[in-house]
Amino acid sequence: MTDILHTPSTAPSHFDLIVVGAGIVGLAHAYTAASRGLKVCVVERDAACIGASIRNFGFVTVTGQGAGSTWRRARRSREVWDTVAPQAGIDVLHRGLYLCARRPLARAVVEAFMRTEMGEGCELLTPAEARRRAPVLRLDEAQAVLYSPHDMRVESRTAIGLLARWLAERHGVVFRFGEAVLEVATPRVRTSRAVLHADRVAVCTNTELHGLFSERLAAQDLRLCQLQMLRVTPEAGFRLPGSVMGDLSLVRYHGYSQLPEAAPLLAQLQHEESESLAHGIHLIVVQSADGSLVVGDSHHYGAAPEPFAQEHVDALILRHLRETLQLQQATVSARWVGTYPSSATRDCFIDAPDDATRLVLVTSGTGASTAFGIAEDVFAAW
């Protein structure tokens, strides 16, 4: 098998496309180019991908994404994941979303969502119907459950590496790990080890806001968002039928929160869940192949968030977990933080420093959900 972590001394230096960054956004651009027959190189400063792309849920979220381009890109990305995952040896661990609306005002939001084009194919279940399909849900106070078949989940910790290896072995993508890009002046790319050349360059550097093209990024009023997540071990035999969300998601995901019906729910939650909202908490639960649950998350913003998790934030997340699922046991086995760039005005930033260069950042934490769709849009406009 190809050792993609090792750059041979005979590695080529001229390409059709150089991608800077081996996170999911960079890999999506590499795949999109390689599938068009282009010769591609991916340059990554770390020895492996260890950033936001492996620290998230692996949740390819379609339902609830903002109306318009983000939702469209998510739908397309899910289709690409369906195609790529089996070829790359990436397991789809579960499909579908169950969003439990516990409050009458939350039910009003999901009813409004069902009337939009984004609700196509979704179902609004009564608590009794949801209990038959998903007995692990805690539905004593539920008003309704939104079920969507459109969403899927992979294990992000392993999926990114498997995707990179498949791109190298199946599509001939050259990877240069442990190599910082110091300068991009397309067609010339200067790294810490070599000078490379390409007709086009896609810069997908996620949280590196003060490096390449920092002057262009500074004008976008970006900040960093840090989230806290946990891995929880439930009792033996516990099985989720799909990904799970709750009321707080309805005032965070733009596909719901931008509906007029979301404003009264937000006012109620500001009264009842002010601390959770202050920490940007909304519940997402997914399950891994070993039965453990990945649970999150919170959102704290700043120019340089401190890399220290807060125990009381984890406690709030775990409370929402216990309120939503029938858990007899919930033992935390791991905790971590992730960071991504965030914009208050857009979900994705695509910039053209020149005709041959594109700067692409997902600024909403939706990289796994939208990256393949974004890459196709970048190439369509290129």
Side-chain angles (χ1 to χ4, degrees):
M1 295 181 69
T2 302
D3 182 3
I4 64 170
L5 297 182
H6 173 67
T7 304
S9 58
T10 57
S13 61
H14 288 73
F15 303 90
D16 298 313
L17 174 73
I18 291 175
V19 179
V20 184
I24 186 55
V25 178
L27 295 182
H29 282 75
Y31 167 75
T32 303
S35 64
R36 287 160 168 75
L38 300 182
K39 185 178 179 182
V40 181
C41 175
V42 177
V43 186
E44 166 59 46
R45 66 173 184 176
D46 292 314
C49 181
I50 58 172
S53 294
I54 70 161
R55 303 186 194 190
N56 58 30
F57 295 93
F59 184 19
V60 183
T61 314
V62 176
T63 312
Q65 298 293 2
S69 61
T70 302
W71 179 70
R72 175 181 56 79
R73 287 165 173 168
R75 285 177 64 90
R76 177 57 185 150
S77 292
R78 195 278 317 278
E79 293 173 353
V80 177
W81 274 111
D82 270 332
T83 299
V84 166
Q87 297 181 49
I90 299 170
D91 292 332
V92 176
L93 298 175
H94 53 70
R95 297 178 184 272
L97 165 69
Y98 290 83
L99 193 155
C100 302
R102 299 178 61 205
R103 296 165 174 83
L105 289 176
R107 175 174 181 142
V109 176
V110 295
E111 288 175 339
F113 175 81
M114 289 292 293
R115 294 191 292 269
T116 71
E117 66 170 337
M118 298 179 292
E120 182 181 353
C122 299
E123 299 176 70
L124 192 57
L125 307 177
T126 67
E129 290 170 332
R131 189 172 287 110
R132 287 193 292 270
R133 294 198 198 182
V136 297
L137 298 178
R138 188 178 293 278
L139 298 168
D140 298 343
E141 299 179 10
Q143 301 294 310
V145 175
L146 173 67
Y147 170 73
S148 170
H150 303 308
D151 308 81
M152 61 183 286
R153 198 255 160 165
V154 299
E155 188 70 64
S156 58
R157 291 188 304 176
T158 56
I160 299 302
L162 288 170
L163 178 58
R165 184 171 296 278
W166 176 74
L167 287 171
E169 296 178 347
R170 177 70 177 273
H171 291 280
V173 174
V174 174
F175 284 85
R176 301 177 69 104
F177 281 97
E179 189 166 347
V181 173
L182 306 178
E183 180 186 19
V184 172
T186 311
R188 181 176 178 273
V189 174
R190 183 169 62 90
T191 80
S192 55
R193 295 182 181 177
V195 174
L196 309 175
H197 296 84
D199 297 334
R200 300 176 183 177
V201 177
V203 178
C204 311
T205 47
N206 193 34
T207 57
E208 293 183 53
L209 303 183
H210 307 293
L212 299 173
F213 301 106
S214 58
E215 72 286 353
R216 302 182 77 91
L217 293 174
Q220 301 305 312
D221 194 27
L222 299 176
R223 53 184 179 165
L224 296 180
C225 175
Q226 182 169 281
L227 51 87
Q228 291 182 208
M229 296 179 62
L230 310 98
R231 186 172 292 275
V232 172
T233 303
E235 60 270 17
F238 183 93
R239 208 76 218 156
L240 281 183
S243 306
V244 174
M245 292 185 179
D247 286 4
L248 287 166
S249 300
L250 295 174
V251 297
R252 182 163 191 89
Y253 274 66
H254 291 165
Y256 313 119
S257 66
Q258 293 179 352
L259 297 170
E261 290 80 1
L265 174 62
L266 176 60
Q268 181 179 3
L269 290 171
Q270 286 172 333
H271 175 70
E272 297 175 357
E273 294 286 357
S274 59
E275 189 174 12
S276 291
L277 288 176
H279 291 291
I281 291 173
H282 77 107
L283 181 71
I284 301 177
V285 190
V286 298
Q287 192 162 31
S288 296
D290 64 1
S292 64
L293 307 176
V294 178
V295 183
D297 57 356
S298 59
H299 300 79
H300 297 95
Y301 301 90
E306 293 187 349
F308 308 112
Q310 303 174 58
E311 178 62 31
H312 70 283
V313 172
D314 284 352
L316 285 168
I317 295 171
L318 290 170
R319 172 173 68 80
H320 292 295
L321 173 69
R322 294 188 177 95
E323 290 173 349
T324 305
L325 298 180
Q326 303 273 9
L327 280 171
Q328 303 302 315
Q329 173 185 316
T331 304
V332 177
S333 61
R335 306 169 192 262
W336 66 94
V337 297
T339 308
Y340 64 82
S342 176
S343 167
T345 59
R346 63 178 74 186
D347 291 339
C348 176
F349 172 62
I350 302 172
D351 187 31
D354 56 60
D355 290 344
T357 309
R358 294 295 181 269
L359 176 59
V360 186
L361 298 181
V362 174
T363 53
S364 54
T366 60
S369 302
T370 62
F372 287 111
I374 291 168
E376 289 188 354
D377 283 355
V378 168
F379 275 84
W382 219 332

PDB file of all heavy atoms in Angstrom, residues 179-204:
ATOM      1  N   GLU A 179       4.832  19.432   5.809  1.00  0.00           N
ATOM      2  CA  GLU A 179       5.502  20.397   4.920  1.00  0.00           C
ATOM      3  C   GLU A 179       4.663  21.681   4.885  1.00  0.00           C
ATOM      4  O   GLU A 179       3.539  21.676   4.385  1.00  0.00           O
ATOM      5  CB  GLU A 179       5.639  19.802   3.525  1.00  0.00           C
ATOM      6  CG  GLU A 179       6.493  20.608   2.573  1.00  0.00           C
ATOM      7  CD  GLU A 179       6.857  19.799   1.340  1.00  0.00           C
ATOM      8  OE1 GLU A 179       6.668  18.556   1.335  1.00  0.00           O
ATOM      9  OE2 GLU A 179       7.337  20.408   0.368  1.00  0.00           O
ATOM     10  N   ALA A 180       5.186  22.734   5.427  1.00  0.00           N
ATOM     11  CA  ALA A 180       4.457  24.000   5.476  1.00  0.00           C
ATOM     12  C   ALA A 180       4.568  24.743   4.154  1.00  0.00           C
ATOM     13  O   ALA A 180       5.646  24.780   3.548  1.00  0.00           O
ATOM     14  CB  ALA A 180       4.986  24.878   6.606  1.00  0.00           C
ATOM     15  N   VAL A 181       3.479  25.332   3.717  1.00  0.00           N
ATOM     16  CA  VAL A 181       3.507  26.200   2.540  1.00  0.00           C
ATOM     17  C   VAL A 181       3.823  27.617   3.005  1.00  0.00           C
ATOM     18  O   VAL A 181       3.088  28.201   3.811  1.00  0.00           O
ATOM     19  CB  VAL A 181       2.171  26.155   1.783  1.00  0.00           C
ATOM     20  CG1 VAL A 181       2.153  27.196   0.663  1.00  0.00           C
ATOM     21  CG2 VAL A 181       1.942  24.759   1.212  1.00  0.00           C
ATOM     22  N   LEU A 182       4.892  28.170   2.490  1.00  0.00           N
ATOM     23  CA  LEU A 182       5.363  29.484   2.924  1.00  0.00           C
ATOM     24  C   LEU A 182       4.872  30.606   2.016  1.00  0.00           C
ATOM     25  O   LEU A 182       4.708  31.741   2.466  1.00  0.00           O
ATOM     26  CB  LEU A 182       6.891  29.495   2.973  1.00  0.00           C
ATOM     27  CG  LEU A 182       7.546  28.383   3.820  1.00  0.00           C
ATOM     28  CD1 LEU A 182       9.060  28.483   3.733  1.00  0.00           C
ATOM     29  CD2 LEU A 182       7.068  28.452   5.265  1.00  0.00           C
ATOM     30  N   GLU A 183       4.661  30.286   0.744  1.00  0.00           N
ATOM     31  CA  GLU A 183       4.264  31.320  -0.202  1.00  0.00           C
ATOM     32  C   GLU A 183       3.503  30.697  -1.371  1.00  0.00           C
ATOM     33  O   GLU A 183       3.886  29.640  -1.880  1.00  0.00           O
ATOM     34  CB  GLU A 183       5.495  32.058  -0.736  1.00  0.00           C
ATOM     35  CG  GLU A 183       5.178  33.159  -1.730  1.00  0.00           C
ATOM     36  CD  GLU A 183       6.432  33.751  -2.345  1.00  0.00           C
ATOM     37  OE1 GLU A 183       7.505  33.096  -2.283  1.00  0.00           O
ATOM     38  OE2 GLU A 183       6.348  34.860  -2.911  1.00  0.00           O
ATOM     39  N   VAL A 184       2.412  31.355  -1.758  1.00  0.00           N
ATOM     40  CA  VAL A 184       1.675  30.957  -2.951  1.00  0.00           C
ATOM     41  C   VAL A 184       1.687  32.134  -3.909  1.00  0.00           C
ATOM     42  O   VAL A 184       1.159  33.208  -3.601  1.00  0.00           O
ATOM     43  CB  VAL A 184       0.228  30.555  -2.620  1.00  0.00           C
ATOM     44  CG1 VAL A 184      -0.570  30.329  -3.901  1.00  0.00           C
ATOM     45  CG2 VAL A 184       0.211  29.287  -1.763  1.00  0.00           C
ATOM     46  N   ALA A 185       2.317  31.924  -5.063  1.00  0.00           N
ATOM     47  CA  ALA A 185       2.319  32.911  -6.145  1.00  0.00           C
ATOM     48  C   ALA A 185       2.130  32.113  -7.427  1.00  0.00           C
ATOM     49  O   ALA A 185       3.061  31.909  -8.199  1.00  0.00           O
ATOM     50  CB  ALA A 185       3.613  33.710  -6.169  1.00  0.00           C
ATOM     51  N   THR A 186       0.911  31.613  -7.586  1.00  0.00           N
ATOM     52  CA  THR A 186       0.597  30.687  -8.669  1.00  0.00           C
ATOM     53  C   THR A 186       1.168  31.211 -10.001  1.00  0.00           C
ATOM     54  O   THR A 186       0.995  32.389 -10.306  1.00  0.00           O
ATOM     55  CB  THR A 186      -0.928  30.506  -8.767  1.00  0.00           C
ATOM     56  OG1 THR A 186      -1.437  30.241  -7.449  1.00  0.00           O
ATOM     57  CG2 THR A 186      -1.295  29.380  -9.698  1.00  0.00           C
ATOM     58  N   PRO A 187       1.887  30.357 -10.720  1.00  0.00           N
ATOM     59  CA  PRO A 187       1.993  28.900 -10.636  1.00  0.00           C
ATOM     60  C   PRO A 187       3.067  28.372  -9.680  1.00  0.00           C
ATOM     61  O   PRO A 187       3.313  27.165  -9.670  1.00  0.00           O
ATOM     62  CB  PRO A 187       2.341  28.514 -12.075  1.00  0.00           C
ATOM     63  CG  PRO A 187       3.165  29.669 -12.554  1.00  0.00           C
ATOM     64  CD  PRO A 187       2.520  30.887 -11.947  1.00  0.00           C
ATOM     65  N   ARG A 188       3.660  29.225  -8.874  1.00  0.00           N
ATOM     66  CA  ARG A 188       4.760  28.819  -8.006  1.00  0.00           C
ATOM     67  C   ARG A 188       4.266  28.713  -6.565  1.00  0.00           C
ATOM     68  O   ARG A 188       3.601  29.615  -6.053  1.00  0.00           O
ATOM     69  CB  ARG A 188       5.893  29.840  -8.096  1.00  0.00           C
ATOM     70  CG  ARG A 188       7.117  29.557  -7.263  1.00  0.00           C
ATOM     71  CD  ARG A 188       8.174  30.622  -7.551  1.00  0.00           C
ATOM     72  NE  ARG A 188       9.370  30.442  -6.763  1.00  0.00           N
ATOM     73  CZ  ARG A 188       9.536  30.950  -5.525  1.00  0.00           C
ATOM     74  NH1 ARG A 188       8.561  31.668  -4.965  1.00  0.00           N
ATOM     75  NH2 ARG A 188      10.666  30.758  -4.884  1.00  0.00           N
ATOM     76  N   VAL A 189       4.598  27.592  -5.917  1.00  0.00           N
ATOM     77  CA  VAL A 189       4.272  27.384  -4.504  1.00  0.00           C
ATOM     78  C   VAL A 189       5.556  27.008  -3.776  1.00  0.00           C
ATOM     79  O   VAL A 189       6.180  25.982  -4.081  1.00  0.00           O
ATOM     80  CB  VAL A 189       3.212  26.274  -4.322  1.00  0.00           C
ATOM     81  CG1 VAL A 189       3.004  25.965  -2.843  1.00  0.00           C
ATOM     82  CG2 VAL A 189       1.898  26.671  -4.985  1.00  0.00           C
ATOM     83  N   ARG A 190       5.951  27.852  -2.843  1.00  0.00           N
ATOM     84  CA  ARG A 190       7.181  27.595  -2.083  1.00  0.00           C
ATOM     85  C   ARG A 190       6.825  26.989  -0.733  1.00  0.00           C
ATOM     86  O   ARG A 190       6.026  27.543   0.021  1.00  0.00           O
ATOM     87  CB  ARG A 190       7.965  28.889  -1.893  1.00  0.00           C
ATOM     88  CG  ARG A 190       9.307  28.699  -1.155  1.00  0.00           C
ATOM     89  CD  ARG A 190      10.162  29.945  -1.231  1.00  0.00           C
ATOM     90  NE  ARG A 190       9.525  31.085  -0.580  1.00  0.00           N
ATOM     91  CZ  ARG A 190       9.687  31.392   0.715  1.00  0.00           C
ATOM     92  NH1 ARG A 190      10.465  30.650   1.488  1.00  0.00           N
ATOM     93  NH2 ARG A 190       9.090  32.461   1.208  1.00  0.00           N
ATOM     94  N   THR A 191       7.393  25.826  -0.434  1.00  0.00           N
ATOM     95  CA  THR A 191       7.149  25.155   0.836  1.00  0.00           C
ATOM     96  C   THR A 191       8.430  25.147   1.668  1.00  0.00           C
ATOM     97  O   THR A 191       9.471  25.645   1.239  1.00  0.00           O
ATOM     98  CB  THR A 191       6.682  23.706   0.616  1.00  0.00           C
ATOM     99  OG1 THR A 191       7.825  22.872   0.331  1.00  0.00           O
ATOM    100  CG2 THR A 191       5.663  23.613  -0.521  1.00  0.00           C
ATOM    101  N   SER A 192       8.348  24.546   2.840  1.00  0.00           N
ATOM    102  CA  SER A 192       9.525  24.440   3.699  1.00  0.00           C
ATOM    103  C   SER A 192      10.535  23.443   3.166  1.00  0.00           C
ATOM    104  O   SER A 192      11.660  23.363   3.678  1.00  0.00           O
ATOM    105  CB  SER A 192       9.093  24.027   5.108  1.00  0.00           C
ATOM    106  OG  SER A 192       8.326  22.825   5.071  1.00  0.00           O
ATOM    107  N   ARG A 193      10.161  22.696   2.111  1.00  0.00           N
ATOM    108  CA  ARG A 193      11.072  21.678   1.579  1.00  0.00           C
ATOM    109  C   ARG A 193      11.374  21.813   0.091  1.00  0.00           C
ATOM    110  O   ARG A 193      12.344  21.231  -0.399  1.00  0.00           O
ATOM    111  CB  ARG A 193      10.482  20.274   1.804  1.00  0.00           C
ATOM    112  CG  ARG A 193      10.336  19.867   3.246  1.00  0.00           C
ATOM    113  CD  ARG A 193       9.798  18.444   3.326  1.00  0.00           C
ATOM    114  NE  ARG A 193       9.613  18.002   4.692  1.00  0.00           N
ATOM    115  CZ  ARG A 193       9.108  16.825   5.030  1.00  0.00           C
ATOM    116  NH1 ARG A 193       8.731  15.985   4.067  1.00  0.00           N
ATOM    117  NH2 ARG A 193       8.957  16.489   6.284  1.00  0.00           N
ATOM    118  N   ALA A 194      10.508  22.530  -0.636  1.00  0.00           N
ATOM    119  CA  ALA A 194      10.671  22.505  -2.090  1.00  0.00           C
ATOM    120  C   ALA A 194       9.963  23.693  -2.722  1.00  0.00           C
ATOM    121  O   ALA A 194       9.224  24.428  -2.063  1.00  0.00           O
ATOM    122  CB  ALA A 194      10.098  21.192  -2.656  1.00  0.00           C
ATOM    123  N   VAL A 195      10.192  23.849  -4.003  1.00  0.00           N
ATOM    124  CA  VAL A 195       9.415  24.783  -4.816  1.00  0.00           C
ATOM    125  C   VAL A 195       8.608  23.945  -5.801  1.00  0.00           C
ATOM    126  O   VAL A 195       9.173  23.176  -6.586  1.00  0.00           O
ATOM    127  CB  VAL A 195      10.322  25.784  -5.565  1.00  0.00           C
ATOM    128  CG1 VAL A 195       9.478  26.642  -6.498  1.00  0.00           C
ATOM    129  CG2 VAL A 195      11.079  26.665  -4.570  1.00  0.00           C
ATOM    130  N   LEU A 196       7.295  24.071  -5.728  1.00  0.00           N
ATOM    131  CA  LEU A 196       6.383  23.303  -6.567  1.00  0.00           C
ATOM    132  C   LEU A 196       5.709  24.235  -7.564  1.00  0.00           C
ATOM    133  O   LEU A 196       5.683  25.453  -7.368  1.00  0.00           O
ATOM    134  CB  LEU A 196       5.324  22.605  -5.709  1.00  0.00           C
ATOM    135  CG  LEU A 196       5.837  21.772  -4.526  1.00  0.00           C
ATOM    136  CD1 LEU A 196       4.670  21.241  -3.708  1.00  0.00           C
ATOM    137  CD2 LEU A 196       6.727  20.635  -5.011  1.00  0.00           C
ATOM    138  N   HIS A 197       5.135  23.644  -8.600  1.00  0.00           N
ATOM    139  CA  HIS A 197       4.462  24.439  -9.629  1.00  0.00           C
ATOM    140  C   HIS A 197       3.133  23.783  -9.995  1.00  0.00           C
ATOM    141  O   HIS A 197       3.024  22.551 -10.026  1.00  0.00           O
ATOM    142  CB  HIS A 197       5.335  24.563 -10.879  1.00  0.00           C
ATOM    143  CG  HIS A 197       6.616  25.293 -10.646  1.00  0.00           C
ATOM    144  ND1 HIS A 197       7.740  24.669 -10.146  1.00  0.00           N
ATOM    145  CD2 HIS A 197       6.951  26.597 -10.836  1.00  0.00           C
ATOM    146  CE1 HIS A 197       8.720  25.562 -10.031  1.00  0.00           C
ATOM    147  NE2 HIS A 197       8.262  26.736 -10.452  1.00  0.00           N
ATOM    148  N   ALA A 198       2.130  24.616 -10.259  1.00  0.00           N
ATOM    149  CA  ALA A 198       0.826  24.108 -10.681  1.00  0.00           C
ATOM    150  C   ALA A 198       0.084  25.188 -11.446  1.00  0.00           C
ATOM    151  O   ALA A 198       0.283  26.384 -11.215  1.00  0.00           O
ATOM    152  CB  ALA A 198      -0.005  23.674  -9.473  1.00  0.00           C
ATOM    153  N   ASP A 199      -0.783  24.744 -12.358  1.00  0.00           N
ATOM    154  CA  ASP A 199      -1.609  25.692 -13.100  1.00  0.00           C
ATOM    155  C   ASP A 199      -2.597  26.402 -12.189  1.00  0.00           C
ATOM    156  O   ASP A 199      -2.943  27.563 -12.405  1.00  0.00           O
ATOM    157  CB  ASP A 199      -2.376  24.962 -14.206  1.00  0.00           C
ATOM    158  CG  ASP A 199      -1.453  24.331 -15.237  1.00  0.00           C
ATOM    159  OD1 ASP A 199      -0.326  24.836 -15.397  1.00  0.00           O
ATOM    160  OD2 ASP A 199      -1.858  23.332 -15.857  1.00  0.00           O
ATOM    161  N   ARG A 200      -3.050  25.672 -11.156  1.00  0.00           N
ATOM    162  CA  ARG A 200      -4.016  26.244 -10.219  1.00  0.00           C
ATOM    163  C   ARG A 200      -3.650  25.843  -8.792  1.00  0.00           C
ATOM    164  O   ARG A 200      -3.044  24.784  -8.577  1.00  0.00           O
ATOM    165  CB  ARG A 200      -5.445  25.747 -10.517  1.00  0.00           C
ATOM    166  CG  ARG A 200      -5.950  26.100 -11.903  1.00  0.00           C
ATOM    167  CD  ARG A 200      -7.310  25.480 -12.126  1.00  0.00           C
ATOM    168  NE  ARG A 200      -7.807  25.734 -13.476  1.00  0.00           N
ATOM    169  CZ  ARG A 200      -8.950  25.251 -13.955  1.00  0.00           C
ATOM    170  NH1 ARG A 200      -9.708  24.483 -13.190  1.00  0.00           N
ATOM    171  NH2 ARG A 200      -9.336  25.528 -15.186  1.00  0.00           N
ATOM    172  N   VAL A 201      -4.067  26.664  -7.836  1.00  0.00           N
ATOM    173  CA  VAL A 201      -3.818  26.380  -6.419  1.00  0.00           C
ATOM    174  C   VAL A 201      -5.097  26.652  -5.634  1.00  0.00           C
ATOM    175  O   VAL A 201      -5.725  27.711  -5.815  1.00  0.00           O
ATOM    176  CB  VAL A 201      -2.662  27.239  -5.848  1.00  0.00           C
ATOM    177  CG1 VAL A 201      -2.479  26.963  -4.356  1.00  0.00           C
ATOM    178  CG2 VAL A 201      -1.369  26.973  -6.613  1.00  0.00           C
ATOM    179  N   ALA A 202      -5.480  25.706  -4.777  1.00  0.00           N
ATOM    180  CA  ALA A 202      -6.602  25.890  -3.857  1.00  0.00           C
ATOM    181  C   ALA A 202      -6.059  25.898  -2.434  1.00  0.00           C
ATOM    182  O   ALA A 202      -5.435  24.925  -1.995  1.00  0.00           O
ATOM    183  CB  ALA A 202      -7.629  24.766  -4.020  1.00  0.00           C
ATOM    184  N   VAL A 203      -6.252  27.001  -1.744  1.00  0.00           N
ATOM    185  CA  VAL A 203      -5.742  27.169  -0.382  1.00  0.00           C
ATOM    186  C   VAL A 203      -6.893  26.915   0.582  1.00  0.00           C
ATOM    187  O   VAL A 203      -7.855  27.673   0.638  1.00  0.00           O
ATOM    188  CB  VAL A 203      -5.160  28.581  -0.184  1.00  0.00           C
ATOM    189  CG1 VAL A 203      -4.666  28.755   1.250  1.00  0.00           C
ATOM    190  CG2 VAL A 203      -4.026  28.823  -1.180  1.00  0.00           C
ATOM    191  N   CYS A 204      -6.794  25.808   1.329  1.00  0.00           N
ATOM    192  CA  CYS A 204      -7.868  25.363   2.236  1.00  0.00           C
ATOM    193  C   CYS A 204      -7.270  25.140   3.612  1.00  0.00           C
ATOM    194  O   CYS A 204      -7.089  23.998   4.063  1.00  0.00           O
ATOM    195  CB  CYS A 204      -8.512  24.087   1.707  1.00  0.00           C
ATOM    196  SG  CYS A 204      -8.985  24.125  -0.039  1.00  0.00           S
TER     197      CYS A 204
END
